[in-house]
Amino acid sequence: MKSAKSIILWSIAILLSLLIGIFQRMTGPTHPVRGREVINGESIQYRLLRSYTAFDNLPVAIKASSAEVRAFLVHKRYKSDDEWIETEMIRNGDYLEAKIPGQPEAGKVEYSIRVQINDQHDVLNHGKSIIVRFRGKVPAIFLIIHILLMFLGITFALRTGMEALRKNGRFFGLVNWTLLIVFLGGIIFGPIVQKYAFGDFWTGFPFGFDLTDNKTLLALLFWIFAFFFKKKSKWWVLAATILMIGIYLIPHSVLGSELDYKTGKLKNKYSFSDKIPLQPKFTS
């Protein structure tokens, strides 16, 4: 009977973790913008990227079968003094295509697509521009381990909280495992991934205000408290679990690394941050 209850609780924890992971991914600032719009009777479909590999030219494409449809890519480096550049997209079968010049790690570009059909002009994505951030290449092994550990972290946190809610629940060992997994995933492999992607191991407190780093640090602190006070009160365990859920519901990469093109520094770090070499400004 105990084994059956344990299997059920683990299954619930895994299912909730999957749902939280999907929510975090779908609401994050790096998830592609997808849509379908009808302009002047013509159907236009698009999947516009918001994250791409550093220094590689970003492909931008929309599907518009009618030869009457013309499209123009409008872009500039994010929060820079650059002039907007407008480039007509080239037809390739049913698609209209163009490219945005690649940027350094943490560099961002703001772009939109203006569609012209005869004399009618509209901007896709309901007139809203899109921000794409460029990232360095992360070795697959580090990325896989990091993602797996972060998934296990919320799964073990949920399972630990469930056990703490049970009468005479045996959650001491689960607290230990959760703390270890959060430490490995967020404090060891997280910084390794960030170093490859954006050039810095850590941009949270006390060096900066990266939200991902800071929420990881906060989660670790609460699980440390839960570890030391678990025998005195289970409320520390429940508090750590609730905080963990709240943290995971925050979209990933919000207030993350961002290159300031005016200074050549990461905006989420203090003034002693090293400059990142910039590519030449856009040319028409």
Side-chain angles (χ1 to χ4, degrees):
M1 181 63 71
K2 290 183 178 180
S3 178
K5 287 183 178 179
S6 180
I7 291 174
I8 292 173
L9 291 175
W10 275 112
S11 298
I12 294 173
I14 292 172
L15 177 60
L16 289 175
S17 298
L18 288 171
L19 292 175
I20 290 173
I22 292 171
F23 172 81
Q24 188 181 67
R25 171 63 178 165
M26 296 295 290
T27 58
T30 61
H31 190 67
V33 174
R34 306 170 188 262
R36 176 183 176 275
E37 298 181 29
V38 177
I39 300 175
N40 201 16
E42 300 291 347
S43 175
I44 300 173
Q45 294 177 316
Y46 53 87
R47 179 180 180 272
L48 305 175
L49 300 179
R50 293 195 289 173
S51 179
Y52 205 65
T53 305
F55 297 111
D56 287 352
N57 292 337
L58 171 71
V60 180
I62 64 173
K63 185 176 182 180
S65 303
S66 174
E68 300 295 323
V69 178
R70 298 174 65 194
F72 300 83
L73 174 65
V74 183
H75 60 93
K76 75 170 186 175
R77 298 186 301 181
Y78 187 56
K79 294 182 180 178
S80 72
D81 294 327
D82 296 350
E83 297 291 332
W84 288 99
I85 291 177
E86 182 173 285
T87 305
E88 182 163 6
M89 302 175 72
I90 305 302
R91 179 164 292 280
N92 182 11
D94 289 341
Y95 292 87
L96 291 166
E97 301 173 340
K99 290 185 177 181
I100 292 174
Q103 297 297 298
E105 292 90 345
K108 292 183 176 181
V109 172
E110 182 176 3
Y111 72 100
S112 60
I113 298 175
R114 180 174 64 84
V115 174
Q116 177 180 340
I117 304 176
N118 299 323
D119 294 329
Q120 182 172 343
H121 298 259
D122 281 287
V123 177
L124 295 181
N125 192 34
H126 308 289
K128 299 177 182 177
S129 61
I130 295 163
I131 310 298
V132 57
R133 181 173 66 164
F134 290 77
R135 68 193 188 287
K137 294 181 180 178
V138 181
I141 184 63
F142 293 129
L143 189 59
I144 291 171
I145 292 175
H146 171 62
I147 293 173
L148 178 60
L149 286 172
M150 298 311 290
F151 175 78
L152 289 175
I154 186 60
T155 302
F156 269 77
L158 289 167
R159 180 65 183 88
T160 304
M162 293 176 188
E163 194 66 23
L165 287 172
R166 295 178 63 188
K167 185 178 181 180
N168 300 320
R170 303 174 65 178
F171 55 83
F172 289 2
L174 288 170
V175 170
N176 301 344
W177 277 106
T178 303
L179 174 59
L180 176 62
I181 293 170
V182 170
F183 176 76
L184 290 175
I187 305 300
I188 301 299
F189 284 94
I192 291 174
V193 169
Q194 181 164 264
K195 176 63 176 178
Y196 277 105
F198 303 115
D200 275 303
F201 282 109
W202 185 265
T203 53
F205 180 85
F207 305 116
F209 49 88
D210 184 288
L211 182 58
T212 299
D213 286 352
N214 284 335
K215 68 183 184 181
T216 300
L217 179 61
L218 186 61
L220 179 68
L221 290 175
F222 265 72
W223 283 108
I224 290 175
F225 289 139
F227 173 79
F228 283 107
F229 298 114
K230 62 188 175 185
K231 294 182 180 179
K232 293 183 178 181
S233 173
K234 66 179 182 181
W235 292 109
W236 274 109
V237 177
L238 293 173
T241 301
I242 293 171
L243 176 70
M244 193 83 159
I245 295 171
I247 285 174
Y248 271 70
L249 289 177
I250 298 174
H252 191 60
S253 298
V254 172
L255 298 182
S257 299
E258 178 183 320
L259 178 61
D260 187 336
Y261 285 104
K262 297 178 182 179
T263 64
K265 300 177 182 179
L266 295 182
K267 293 185 67 175
N268 60 340
K269 292 192 70 178
Y270 295 133
S271 58
F272 57 77
S273 174
D274 292 334
K275 287 189 175 183
I276 296 177
L278 306 181
Q279 281 189 326
K281 289 187 176 183
F282 289 149
T283 56
S284 38

